[in-house]
Amino acid sequence: MRNYLEKLMDELCHHPGWAAAGLGAGVWLLYGLTAAQGTIFGDPSEYQFIPAVWGIAHPPGYAFYTLIAGVWQRLFPVGTVAFRTHLLAGAAGAWTVTRVFLMLFEVGTKAGVAASLDRRQVWFAALIGGLSLAVSPDFWQHSLHSNAHILSAAITATQLWLLVRWFYEGRDRWLLALAFSAGIGVTHHPITVWGLPAYAIFILIRRPKILRQWKTLLPFIGCGLLGLIPWLYFPLRSPAVPFGPTDMRTWEGFLRHATAQGLRVNLFHFGLADQFDRLRMFWTLLRLQFPWPLLVLMGVGMGWLMARRPHLAWLWGLFLVGHLGFTLNSVQDVMAYLLHAFMALAFPLGIGVWRLLETLKCRLPAWGGALIALAMLALPVGALIHTFPCISLRDWDAADAFVDEVTARFAGRGEGAALASDWEHLTPYFYRAFVNGAALEAADVRPLYVTGALSWTDAVFGNLAAGPVYLTNYRREIRDLGFRLRPEGTLWRVLEPPALEAVAPQNPLSNVWVDGRVELLGYDLPKTTASPGEVLPLTLYARVATTETAILMPFARLGQIEQRWTTDSRHLTPDWLPGEIIVERYEVYVPYTLTPGTYPLTLGYTDMTNAVAELSFTNGDTALRLAELTVLPETRGAPENRVLARALTNIGNDVALLSARARVGLTTRQGIWEEPLTLQAGQPLHLTLTWHVLARPRTSYTVFIHLIDAAGVPWFGHDYTPLGGAFPSYLWFPKWLEGQQVIDPYRLVIPENVPPGQYWLEVGMYEMGSIRRIPQFDFQGTMTGDRFILGPLLLLP
């Protein structure tokens, strides 16, 4: 058996193409096992239905992707169109991994390695490099759902591989293939352009006379132009396109769409003073991709390249400078654009593994070297085992469930409703309409795409007179205009006050009054079993008989744990009109610390205006029993409890704020501080927040950092997606993975118009779409509000 394995290894070492094919097949299988089965909110669904109908996608249009995905969908009939398009992303990811493997094998075997055992070490190092990339979270996530960005990474990986082949063989055919690939990349996505300066400089360094070699230069230019052929798809298809712009036969229309002119506001967003924090952001994300021993080996590999293969070091260095210089200063699709840098860094990682094995070979016995090799292999294998259940989208069906809900709610009812929707919720509906031919009739419901040209308020005012209007998101600006937002499933119905339409609570109540002022009509509680950390929706139906001047707010108790909901984004009782039915949705957060068992879930009310902690119901009790909630045994609560025990606060059972560090000049404050941190207006305040992901986020969170006075009035605010827009918690689907730890730096400059005095720094999170603040909890699970006060700041004149 041993001899057979040695012969097999020798065969793989001498035929790396077969080894690469086996690695690619295994990686593709991994991606297929974790791939989504159906549609996904946002762009992924667009990447599915656009090729299926030969449409034109959003800018820059993705001509090459549309063509190759359209052919793939028709020639690879496995499962639904949605699933097979997910598999295309997996195939592109697997192809990229094989290019990294082959580049490492090429460099290793050409670096003076002669012995058979040394070739095995090179093979093993190439395997480690490829696998480490394959199981890195960002690369894995982009390989299990339909997207064009993983194909961008496949294109740039192919270009680097072609250059490595040319570097060692010197044959012009590799340069011609590179030129063709560069043209293809341009028609696919502009991100591929940022590698071209590195390629040009590398070629000139390697062959300075190439600019005078017309027999090479002219075919090179011709192959590049040939690669631009996919762009012809736009003017040929545009006049009759079923989805997309119809003016791409004109130069103006073509250039506007193909160069994504409307999206350029997201590029080069940060200034010179922000570059250090942007590099810290990249370091944080890099640490999430690769275990730290591999990061050390990555540095070893880069050092070897600079010392022994300076030409390749120039190529890789300039490639990273070009891509990172662009990506780190963008605020959109940052994680997608970083695929190129992560792919490129897997190469020096593999070089570092090989160099370590070569060094240890002379200093350790054979069995010691084998143990080291197995330990290194355990790093990507361990990452695979740990990440697999967290990253898998196999059971993720939120988008399909949403379209099913909309269909069941409106189909055949002739309601003439309008459904105002963001892009994210519309794309899975477009897939159902275009691919499955299951569009809803306009007499039932008309989807309205809310954009810069059609705002949420315009959608409401322009359609409410003609029929019911529903929203796919809770929109605070609609509520602030005086409309009532009534939850119906995952939708929100817009009602003009007074909201008198009848309701049908899941659990109706009769003659239940709160202090004789608020009548409870019923409540919805979809389930009465939960696991630690779970969030249960609770919908209350209520009304007042006369105008109420005080703010009467409900609160819940789960056993002895109290959760007093905040007034954020609510229809408060002083705004209720007599007789109208107000429907509000709240959340019951099951603490991670709660032991398995059955607990009473009760409802209480407080008079916030008059500081009355508990009001009485009709029967004289201060608590209304809603249900017996069964908390199930759940092993995952243990690690979360260990994190929460040392955290500053728990935000929505999804993320913990582990630490905070504020710095002005050389003065720092850690955690919660009492002694004011002194600064002047215009002086930068550096704040570093460390987040720990407790569970899959339910939505996209925005971090807010506010400077407030003693009355709680905000004077300065910084609201942004974590890591300066680079690391959204939820984009199309949950992006953050359980257990990830994120260091989030901020550079804040207090404006000159803020008067001197003492202020406090508050932090927290809110839902990006609804702007609803996420409640916060202490270790026991008691709700502490919706903001966390770090400490005082003293602003000097």
Side-chain angles (χ1 to χ4, degrees), residues 9-17 19 100-127 161 164-165 167-169 304 308-309 312 347 350-351 354-355 358:
M9 181 61 70
D10 289 339
E11 190 69 20
L12 291 175
C13 288
H14 286 88
H15 297 88
V100 171
F101 174 87
L102 289 174
M103 284 189 290
L104 286 168
F105 194 86
E106 180 91 11
V107 174
T109 53
K110 297 292 174 57
V113 180
S116 174
L117 181 61
D118 291 336
R119 290 180 68 88
R120 295 179 191 177
Q121 291 174 345
V122 171
W123 185 92
F124 186 82
L127 178 66
W161 171 66
V164 170
R165 297 302 301 268
F167 175 77
Y168 283 108
E169 296 183 14
W304 182 88
R308 301 291 298 275
R309 293 294 181 272
L312 291 179
F347 178 75
I351 295 291
W354 171 62
R355 290 301 304 150
E358 281 292 296

Side-chain angles (χ1 to χ4, degrees), residues 473-560:
N473 306 81
Y474 182 95
R475 302 303 304 186
R476 191 169 184 171
E477 62 266 40
I478 304 301
R479 185 215 65 178
D480 290 343
L481 291 172
F483 292 103
R484 308 313 191 203
L485 296 182
R486 180 176 290 182
E488 293 188 13
T490 60
L491 304 178
W492 299 85
R493 184 175 178 182
V494 180
L495 296 172
E496 293 185 272
L500 301 175
E501 285 77 358
V503 294
Q506 177 188 12
N507 301 284
L509 298 173
S510 178
N511 195 31
V512 176
W513 288 80
V514 180
D515 199 37
R517 293 187 279 176
V518 174
E519 181 184 10
L520 284 179
L521 303 176
Y523 62 94
D524 296 339
L525 185 64
K527 55 186 296 187
T528 56
T529 60
S531 301
E534 196 169 345
V535 182
L536 302 180
L538 172 64
T539 304
L540 301 179
Y541 300 77
R543 64 186 173 194
V544 295
T546 59
T547 301
E548 178 58 51
T549 57
I551 299 176
L552 307 183
M553 276 291 294
F555 64 90
R557 281 197 183 97
L558 183 56
Q560 299 300 314

Side-chain angles (χ1 to χ4, degrees), residues 15 35 84 127 247 268 328 332 377 438 459 531 558 571 651 687 707 719 728 734 776 778 783:
H15 297 88
R84 72 184 69 155
L127 178 66
D247 63 345
F268 303 107
L328 298 187
Q332 185 171 335
L377 181 61
S531 301
L558 183 56
H571 293 295
I651 303 179
L687 179 67
L707 192 71
D719 298 32
Q776 302 185 16
D778 62 16
M783 190 176 293

Side-chain angles (χ1 to χ4, degrees), residues 696-711:
R696 269 189 169 184
R698 298 183 307 281
T699 186
S700 185
Y701 293 143
T702 297
V703 177
F704 68 83
I705 304 169
H706 293 165
L707 192 71
I708 60 173
D709 61 20

Side-chain angles (χ1 to χ4, degrees), residues 288-422:
L288 293 180
Q289 311 307 314
F290 305 103
W292 69 264
L294 295 183
L295 294 177
V296 173
L297 292 174
M298 197 179 290
V300 172
M302 284 300 297
W304 182 88
L305 284 173
M306 289 187 289
R308 301 291 298 275
R309 293 294 181 272
H311 288 172
L312 291 179
W314 273 106
L315 172 60
W316 252 257
L318 292 172
F319 179 90
L320 288 169
V321 167
H323 274 276
L324 290 177
F326 167 76
T327 301
L328 298 187
N329 289 285
S330 302
V331 294
Q332 185 171 335
D333 295 329
V334 174
M335 294 303 295
Y337 297 159
L338 282 174
L339 289 172
H340 304 268
F342 295 150
M343 174 273 298
L345 287 170
F347 178 75
L349 187 161
I351 295 291
V353 172
W354 171 62
R355 290 301 304 150
L356 177 63
L357 292 176
E358 281 292 296
T359 303
L360 295 177
K361 175 186 174 183
C362 304
R363 302 182 181 183
L364 293 176
W367 63 267
L371 286 178
I372 296 296
L374 289 176
M376 285 189 289
L377 181 61
L379 292 174
V381 172
L384 185 156
I385 296 172
H386 171 75
T387 307
F388 190 102
C390 303
I391 205 170
S392 177
L393 292 179
R394 190 173 184 83
D395 299 322
W396 189 257
D397 62 350
D400 285 334
F402 167 76
V403 180
D404 289 341
E405 178 188 350
V406 170
T407 301
R409 172 62 183 81
F410 296 107
R413 298 197 179 188
E415 194 174 350
L419 177 61
S421 174
D422 53 20

Side-chain angles (χ1 to χ4, degrees), residues 56-63 186-191 193-194 231 234 245 248 250-267 326 337:
I56 298 177
H58 69 273
Y62 307 96
V186 170
T187 69
H188 173 69
H189 195 284
I191 186 66
V193 172
W194 294 99
W231 259 346
F234 290 154
M248 295 191 72
T250 66
W251 277 112
E252 181 182 359
F254 177 88
L255 292 175
R256 182 182 64 251
H257 200 80
T259 61
Q261 292 180 11
L263 301 178
R264 294 182 186 176
V265 294
N266 301 300
L267 310 181
F326 167 76
Y337 297 159

Side-chain angles (χ1 to χ4, degrees), residues 420-434:
S421 174
D422 53 20
W423 172 250
E424 287 76 6
H425 287 82
L426 272 185
T427 54
Y429 169 75
F430 287 153
Y431 174 91
R432 190 79 60 92
F434 286 113

